[in-house]
Amino acid sequence: MRAAVAIAQNLHDPLSCLEVKDVPEPVVPEGWVKVRVKATSLNMHNLWTLRGVGHDPKNIPIILGCDVAGVTEDGREVVVYPVIADPDAGFGDETLDPNRNLLSESHDGGFAEHISVPARCALDKPAHLSFEEAACLPVAWSTAYRMLFTHGQVQAGDRVLVQGASGGVASAAIQLASAAGARVYATSRTAEKRELALSLGATEAFESGARLPERVDVVIETVGEATWAHSLRCLRPGGAIVIAGTTSGTSPEADLGRIFYNQLRVLGSTGSTRSEFARMLRVVEQMKLRPTIDRVLPLERIHEGFQVMEKGESSGKIVITL
């Protein structure tokens, strides 16, 4: 079968380490299922793997791809929960399992014609979504769901700031928070991406760093260093900043005085549990939400998609079809 494989790692030229080639069909252990991949989407995690950041080199070569929608051998249309882990090892939360893995970390991922995953990871696809749309959900939408509703405890009427509005997690957070009845403010560096945020349900959209009309209850933070000070200034006393990414850097000035004086809560969030993933899919189906797709490309043009994503030129997810 054809697959996009990380054959090496290079911090400065990551895409030179990605090769589309023929590989053997996946082995299907007992308790696992084989999924024919219909669509998969690009994720920054893939680029970090190719750069050699946070990925053990002993697991190279490996098929990349964390986000998968496809069809099982018995004909079910499914979306793949991307975390391979044991809930019992995480005290009931598989994201706390010390040995958890995201697809493509130690198990071959979805940039291939077929993938093998634990049976518990294959959940029914929302019926109103295409495979291309469904392939945008696994990592970004489940991460946003956990940030908003598990850690942020967002409820109808709450005020939410989403930084970096065009990113996968950020755009999902705008739609999910808006669907829950929250007032959503969003920031972005470009007018085009601010317009996108408004079309997704944001109440207002501002340039990065701009003063908001009011302080917010929760900040959804995936940008990191570049927006950290603004995120803290925008929180009401007792508010929470939930962080699940640091695309602009990991070491901002902490501003501990503001944090303790205003009793702010800083909450880290990684991925989601399977139950959160299932609830996210139900919300998407019940509210008829649709992820935003920037473009759809065949597997053979995957390098082109990564070049666009690496430059920050996409508005929505980049999807690969097989």
Side-chain angles (χ1 to χ4, degrees), residues 59-93:
N59 291 330
I60 299 295
I62 195 164
I63 299 172
L64 295 186
C66 319
D67 298 275
V68 178
V71 181
T72 62
E73 291 183 294
D74 60 2
R76 285 177 61 216
E77 296 185 351
V78 299
V79 185
V80 174
Y81 170 62
V83 180
I84 312 296
D86 177 6
D88 290 339
F91 303 98
D93 182 337

Side-chain angles (χ1 to χ4, degrees), residues 128-142:
H128 72 290
L129 296 183
S130 67
F131 284 107
E132 290 83 0
E133 291 169 325
C136 301
L137 296 177
V139 174
W141 281 66
S142 62

Side-chain angles (χ1 to χ4, degrees), residues 23-302:
V23 300
E25 292 278 341
V27 174
V28 185
E30 185 178 354
W32 290 45
V33 294
K34 185 177 182 180
V35 177
R36 176 164 56 92
V37 179
K38 300 288 286 184
T40 178
S41 64
L42 305 190
N43 191 296
M44 278 301 298
H45 184 274
N46 313 138
L47 274 180
W48 291 120
T49 297
L50 292 168
R51 289 170 178 159
V53 178
H55 186 96
D56 194 329
K58 78 177 190 313
N59 291 330
I60 299 295
I62 195 164
I63 299 172
L64 295 186
C66 319
D67 298 275
V68 178
V71 181
T72 62
E73 291 183 294
D74 60 2
R76 285 177 61 216
E77 296 185 351
V78 299
V79 185
V80 174
Y81 170 62
V83 180
I84 312 296
D86 177 6
D88 290 339
F91 303 98
D93 182 337
E94 51 262 72
T95 69
L96 300 178
D97 176 359
N99 296 313
R100 74 181 188 276
N101 281 281
L102 196 64
L103 278 178
S104 80
E105 289 183 341
S106 60
H107 303 279
D108 281 329
F111 294 161
E113 294 177 14
H114 294 94
I115 186 173
S116 173
V117 298
R120 72 187 295 269
C121 292
L123 285 80
D124 290 339
K125 177 179 75 67
H128 72 290
L129 296 183
S130 67
F131 284 107
E132 290 83 0
E133 291 169 325
C136 301
L137 296 177
V139 174
W141 281 66
S142 62
T143 297
Y145 184 95
R146 181 177 175 89
M147 292 176 79
L148 286 165
F149 305 118
T150 301
H151 292 306
Q153 296 290 300
V154 169
Q155 301 178 45
D158 281 353
R159 300 153 299 176
V160 177
L161 169 62
V162 179
Q163 299 278 25
S166 67
V169 173
S171 59
I174 292 171
Q175 290 183 259
L176 288 167
S178 178
R183 179 181 299 175
V184 182
Y185 299 116
T187 66
S188 182
R189 291 173 295 175
T190 71
E192 177 187 8
K193 292 178 180 179
R194 292 193 292 274
E195 286 297 321
L196 173 63
L198 293 173
S199 72
L200 296 176
T203 305
E204 294 185 66
F206 302 89
E207 291 186 16
S208 298
R211 185 182 182 90
L212 301 186
E214 59 182 334
R215 291 191 176 184
V216 300
D217 302 288
V218 176
V219 176
I220 298 301
E221 176 64 84
T222 58
V223 180
E225 204 166 298
T227 55
W228 184 256
H230 182 247
S231 293
L232 292 179
R233 290 197 304 271
C234 290
L235 276 175
R236 66 161 174 82
I241 178 170
V242 187
I243 181 168
T246 55
T247 56
S248 68
T250 60
S251 300
E253 183 178 346
D255 199 358
L256 296 179
R258 181 184 297 273
I259 291 172
F260 81 73
Y261 187 78
N262 288 317
Q263 301 185 70
L264 305 180
R265 290 168 292 139
V266 178
L267 305 168
S269 187
T270 297
S272 77
T273 64
R274 184 189 181 278
S275 61
E276 289 166 334
F277 187 84
R279 290 198 296 272
M280 177 273 292
L281 292 179
R282 287 200 298 271
V283 170
V284 167
E285 185 150 39
Q286 290 168 8
M287 303 299 294
K288 296 296 183 283
L289 302 178
R290 292 184 180 276
T292 301
I293 295 176
D294 179 85
R295 69 194 66 194
V296 179
L297 300 170
L299 182 65
E300 301 295 333
R301 292 172 59 189
I302 194 170

